[in-house]
Every structure is written in C-alpha cells, then in structure tokens.
C-alpha cells in the first residue's frame, strides 16, 4: 500500500518531528537560512510548546505511517511558558516505558532540547534519528498491515476484518 | 403485537456481564415481560441452528459481551449482526477489548506455549496442542482457530451502541433497555453513559486539590487509604480524572482507586496515553532522573493504563517486527 512496502526501493524512513514554536522551530528556520543540509526524511509540525504535545499525537503519527517521531523543545529553564517542557519531559519519561513494553524500539521516539540558536543541533539530531530509524527498518503499523499480519496467520480466514471506530 | 426479540451472546468474556444481567434482580421480570429472549446460551437452551433459522433483521437487538479472538466468535457475531436490527457492545471487553485484550502484549504462539507446555499445572508433558482439525475413526473433529490479536466488537462488525463498564452498571443496563423499548435512542455509535469524567460524580471530589504534586505512586496494598480523601491525592493511581462516569464511583466507594473500566469520554481516542498523561503531570520534580525514579514506582504502564482498552488503543497490540516481515 505504501512506498515502504516495496522490496526493490531502499528503505527511506519517514519521521514526524514536533517542534516547539519558540526554540526548536526557530532553530530549524535558522538551519534553513544558513543553508545547512540535513536528511530530507523529517516532516516538521510546529506546536506552540512541547508541553502541548499530547502522547496521542505521537501514537497517531506512528499509526498513520511514521517510522519514527522526534520531539523538540526548549532547554530546561528556557520554556516560553515556564513549565511546558517539564510537562513534556514527565509525560515522555512514562510514555517511553509504555512504548518499550509495547515493543516499540527506544530510538523510534526521541526527545531533544534545542535552543533557537542551535541550528547545527537540528541538523545533527535529524541526521542521527534518520540513521537510527534506518537501522531499525520500517515500522509496520498501518491498520491494513496489522490486519494483514493477522490474516497471514489465519490462512483459512475469510476477508480481513474491518478496522472499527477506534480511530 | 408480538414482543421485540432479544439475544444475549458472549465471546471472550468472564461471565461477569451475564451476571450483570442477572443483577437486574426484580427488574429482569420487567425486561422478560417486555421482550422475548430468543437466544442466551448461558441461561437458555437455544442453539446456533435456531439463530440461523431466524429471518434476517428479525431480532430487535443483540447484546454481545466479550472480546473477539477466535474464528467461532467471529462467525457468531457476524450471524447475530445479520439477524439483529441493533447490536449493542455490552461491557468493556466488547467495547474496548477489556481484560482479555491484554493478551495483545503476547503472540499466539507464546500463549499456546505457556498454556500447553510451560505452565506449572501442565504435568503430562506429551506435547499436545489444540488442533483445528483432528482425524478420528468416526470422521474429522474441528476446533475454532485462536486469533493472534484480540479485537473489539466494532473491529469485526458494525456496532450501534456501547454499554461500558466491567461489567456495565445495572442502572445503565436498565436505562439502555428502556430507551431501546421506547425508541428514544441517542445518535448511532453513542456510548450509553454520561459523557463526563468520574471525578465529577465522586463524593471525594471536594478533597481533590486543585494542584497536585506527587512524589510517590502507591499500589493499593501499600497504604491504608483514608476513606474520605481523594485517592489520587493519597498517591493511589485513581483514573477517575480520565474515566467516563456512570458507575456511581463504585470502586472509590469501596476505597479502591478507579482502574478505568468505563473507558474514556468521547473527547479521547486513546485511553491509555490520556491516563498516562494525567498521572505523569502530577509528578513534583523538574529533574530528569528524579522524574524517572518517581515514575518507576508505577509498575506495568501497559497493564495499568490500558487495562481495559489495549485492542482499542492506537497501537492495538504490542509491536512484533517479525509480523511485519512474515506478512510479505
Ligand atoms: S481522583 Fe478518584 S478519588 Fe479523587 S475525586 Fe477523582 S474519582 Fe474521586
Ligand atoms: S470506579 Fe472506575 S473501575 Fe470502578 S466501576 Fe467505576 S469506572 Fe469502573
């Protein structure tokens, strides 16, 4: 169904990045104006604060075809809203344990503090997560893939069951 | 005019939902007076052939409890779907996957291995496993196939309404039956319970601090909880802030924290991560190591936060890279 299912083409990771408006997104802008090149695998979504990041967004990205998720926020102490990045850190810490229990490899979901002036760090972090995820290979979580996986184990089953209202 | 026909059926369930119907007590007589129960394997001796013989759409409503995890359950719910005008997912397992849904942290092969070989109670050790087909002199014997992934009812057939809870509270069952009989139903797809969080109806709500700062997360056996104060403020993982109300805070009244059986309100897709967010936000520290140490007191995040809803979660089951490979 998607490009990552074809065996011929080399695997190109798809990574969704949630960057906070005040630090990391500005840094990504800076990297852009400074013409720094980095892996083209990342789709950036701007959020007002890393503390706005509902873990449901992360799982939705993975569910809808991302192979990895990068979260970028201001360094501790630098949050535009004082506390947002600490909230993000608390959630992220527990979410990582949950994801580990669910079999999702650590490198697929990463959190980095990147200040507005750190364009070079944006470059470095994006290149690193792209390589990490490339090494892990594609994450097959599309609803279809999941049902095909079930079906593959059930050769005598009639059509794959439809995904319900869970989304 | 003949009475509306009703069916009750169970799939991967513990029997508690059947018990909840019996818990209607005298009210069950009103139900029996108003409808014809034409299929209810736990209580009445009708068979699958009897359902097959019914005309399509001839049942007013089928109440189906339990999660779906075998070929037989799949066939039965498809059959009931054809015969019934309305299908109600009854209880947490049919609604969100429920406790059986926690099997989605394992693979089928592991489950079979544990149940038929590794478990301490297996003593004969002759390596027998259930087979779908077995040849005997009299012919071929068959068994249903156990699925690798436990599903919610609405991942398998179209569901019209949901009665949440483990099991659904009696007042909600009564209310649902009443609104079906009077034909006063909310829009299709609705959960037949109030769309508000449990804290809203909890008697301890006044003692819930506006801003909580937790340095300790406790399990019920580690504390003698104050029977009046908010359980969350005492360090117990009470999921009341993210769970749909409608149960009358039954567990909290028993001095036990809410474990989330009623599922989320309509504003939430993934109950587990929402519950996780609510609990992580309480942590009273800004230091990464300290935060980790405090949160490490929460044993088994998946079992705690997705206790009733893993199959309905965004991930549905634990990730098994070998599935992805095998599927090609
Ligand atoms: S957190 Fe639990 S104990 Fe506290 S008010 Fe909410 S439901 Fe009641
Ligand atoms: S308090 Fe929570 S776990 Fe207990 S019955 Fe109500 S919703 Fe279910």
């Amino acid at each position: 169904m998607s490009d990552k299912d074809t065996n011929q083409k080399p695997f190109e990771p798809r990574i969704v990045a949630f960057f906070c408006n005040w630090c990391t997104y500005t840094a990504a802008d800076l990297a852009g104006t400074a013409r720094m090149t980095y892996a083209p695998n990342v789709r950036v979504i701007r959020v007002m604060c890393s503390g706005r990041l509902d873990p449901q967004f992360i799982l939705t990205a993975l569910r809808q075809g991302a192979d990895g998720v990068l979260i970028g926020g201001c360094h501790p102490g630098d949050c535009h809203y004082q506390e947002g990045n600490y909230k993000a850190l608390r959630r992220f810490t527990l979410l990582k344990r949950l994801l580990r229990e669910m079999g999702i490899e650590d490198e697929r979901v990463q959190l980095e503090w990147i200040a507005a002036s750190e364009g070079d760090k944006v470059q470095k972090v994006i290149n690193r997560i792209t390589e990490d995820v490339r090494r892990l290979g594609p994450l097959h979580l599309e609803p279809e893939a999941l049902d095909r996986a079930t079906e593959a184990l059930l050769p005598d089953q009639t059509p794959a069951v439809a995904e319900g209202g869970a989304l | 005019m003949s009475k509306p026909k009703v069916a009750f059926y169970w799939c991967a369930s513990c029997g508690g939902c059947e018990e909840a119907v019996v818990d209607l007590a005298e009210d069950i007589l009103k139900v029996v007076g108003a409808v014809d129960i034409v299929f209810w394997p736990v209580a009445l001796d009708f068979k699958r052939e009897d359902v097959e013989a019914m005309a399509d759409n001839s049942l007013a409503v089928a109440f189906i409890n339990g999660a779906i995890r075998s070929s037989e359950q799949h066939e039965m719910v498809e059959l009931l779907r054809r015969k019934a005008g309305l299908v109600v997912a009854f209880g947490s397992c049919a609604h969100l996957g429920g406790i059986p849904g926690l099997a989605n942290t394992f693979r089928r092969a592991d489950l079979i291995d544990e149940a038929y070989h590794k478990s301490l109670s297996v003593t004969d050790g002759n390596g027998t496993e259930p087979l779908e087909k077995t040849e005997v002199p009299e012919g071929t014997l068959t068994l249903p196939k156990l699925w690798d992934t436990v599903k919610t009812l609405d991942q398998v057939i179209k569901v019209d309404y949901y009665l949440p809870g483990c099991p659904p509270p009696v007042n909600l069952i009564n209310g649902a039956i009443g609104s079906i009989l009077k034909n006063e139903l909310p829009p299709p797809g609705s959960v037949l319970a109030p769309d508000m969080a449990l804290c809203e109806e909890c008697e301890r709500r006044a003692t819930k601090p506006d801003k909580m700062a937790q340095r300790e997360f406790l399990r019920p056996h580690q504390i003698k909880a104050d029977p009046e104060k908010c359980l969350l403020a005492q360090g117990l993982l009470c999921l009341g802030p993210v769970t749909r109300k409608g149960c009358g805070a039954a567990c909290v009244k028993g001095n036990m924290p809410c474990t989330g059986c009623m599922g989320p309100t309509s504003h939430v897709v993934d109950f587990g991560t929402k519950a996780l967010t609510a609990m992580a936000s309480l942590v009273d520290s800004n230091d990464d190591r300290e935060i980790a140490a405090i949160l490490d007191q929460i044993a088994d995040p998946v079992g705690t936060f997705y206790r009733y809803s893993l199959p309905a979660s965004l991930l549905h089951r634990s990730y098994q890279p070998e599935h992805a490979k095998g599927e090609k």
Side-chain angles (χ1 to χ4, degrees), chain B residues 308-324:
Chain B
Y308 305 95
S309 65
L310 187 54
S313 71
L314 283 162
L315 295 177
H316 302 214
R317 61 157 302 119
S318 65
Y319 178 55
Q320 315 282 355
E322 60 272 30
H323 275 180

Side-chain angles (χ1 to χ4, degrees), chain A residues 49 51 123 156:
Chain A
C49 176
Q123 180 188 40
D156 50 354

Side-chain angles (χ1 to χ4, degrees), chain B residues 198 243 247 249-252 258-262:
Chain B
L198 179 70
T243 303
C247 62
C251 299
V252 179
C258 171
T259 52
C261 74
M262 294 280 284

